[in-house]
Amino acid sequence: MESKESAERVIQTAQSANSLSLFFLAQGEQTADSVMAHLTDFISEAKETLDFAVYDMRFGDQLKATLADVLRQRAAAGVKIRFCYDGDKPVHPNLAFGQDPAPSGTSAFVQSLGYPWRRIAGMKLMHNKFVIRDRTAVWTGSTNMTDDAFTRMENNILVILSEPLAAYYANEFEQLWEKENFD
């Protein structure tokens, strides 16, 4: 049986291993390339898995090439990559009826990357967005994965290194992946 001191030391070590990084984005105060660099830095540390849950994902050619390159590198290293995305974006939304106002294009973008994907359907929006790395770290926040969200909007990005919190997000992702719905 461990001594109380030893158990406390383990708890303190585990707590110090958790960390939170915040990035606040403001219109015109950062470039899309600089935000993509944060994202690709996060992605490039993956050793086993990358699970993306996205609401809106559409990048121009330059950012798409940057993202696709780092994903190819990780896949070549054996990292399993999957995407879930909100698939119910009408081309011309009827806002009066509560249809999703986000532009279409996420489906085509995600599918063009070439990794396993699931289109998530349902009457509600899948506005939550996150990336889980190796079930130990999470990239999340209000920021969608678009050029505009990276440069023209007031957004935030949180990078959380915490196995317990990553496990919560991983459970959410697995439910989306299996059900392909919000119910």
Side-chain angles (χ1 to χ4, degrees):
M1 181 170 189
E2 282 188 87
S3 71
K4 182 178 177 187
E5 263 180 41
S6 176
E8 286 174 0
R9 204 170 28 252
V10 170
I11 290 169
Q12 289 172 349
T13 301
Q15 288 173 340
S16 66
N18 294 330
S19 71
L20 172 67
S21 300
L22 301 167
F23 304 97
F24 293 95
L25 309 181
Q27 184 168 331
E29 292 189 16
Q30 67 283 321
T31 65
D33 289 332
S34 70
V35 179
M36 181 58 79
H38 285 295
L39 178 59
T40 57
D41 286 349
F42 179 84
I43 291 169
S44 67
E45 291 183 30
K47 305 287 187 252
E48 297 174 10
T49 60
L50 283 166
D51 290 326
F52 291 75
V54 295
Y55 168 70
D56 192 7
M57 185 176 213
R58 299 167 290 109
F59 289 117
D61 292 342
Q62 181 178 338
L63 293 184
K64 180 180 180 181
T66 301
L67 177 64
D69 185 51
V70 73
L71 291 174
R72 271 192 301 277
Q73 290 172 19
R74 295 294 77 221
V79 174
K80 180 181 173 185
I81 301 169
R82 302 182 295 172
F83 286 84
C84 285
Y85 65 89
D86 187 321
D88 284 344
K89 292 177 177 45
V91 175
H92 303 289
N94 185 334
L95 301 180
F97 288 108
Q99 289 183 326
D100 189 350
S104 61
T106 295
S107 180
F109 184 89
V110 168
Q111 292 177 30
S112 76
L113 293 171
Y115 300 98
W117 54 267
R118 294 279 166 87
R119 177 187 169 277
I120 307 305
M123 293 302 294
K124 299 185 277 183
L125 299 179
M126 189 187 101
H127 202 259
N128 198 4
K129 48 250 180 204
F130 53 90
V131 181
I132 310 159
R133 183 185 69 211
D134 297 333
R135 299 181 71 95
T136 61
V138 179
W139 165 290
T140 190
S142 66
T143 308
N144 283 305
M145 293 198 185
T146 67
D147 297 71
D148 285 350
F150 282 11
T151 59
R152 297 181 58 201
M153 300 173 186
E154 305 289 319
N155 275 309
N156 61 67
I157 298 166
L158 292 80
V159 175
I160 307 161
L161 305 180
S162 167
E163 284 188 41
L165 190 57
Y168 171 81
Y169 277 92
N171 184 51
E172 174 75 10
F173 185 88
E174 292 303 330
Q175 287 179 20
L176 290 169
W177 187 260
E178 294 302 320
K179 294 180 182 180
E180 297 183 55
N181 204 306
F182 298 106
D183 296 333

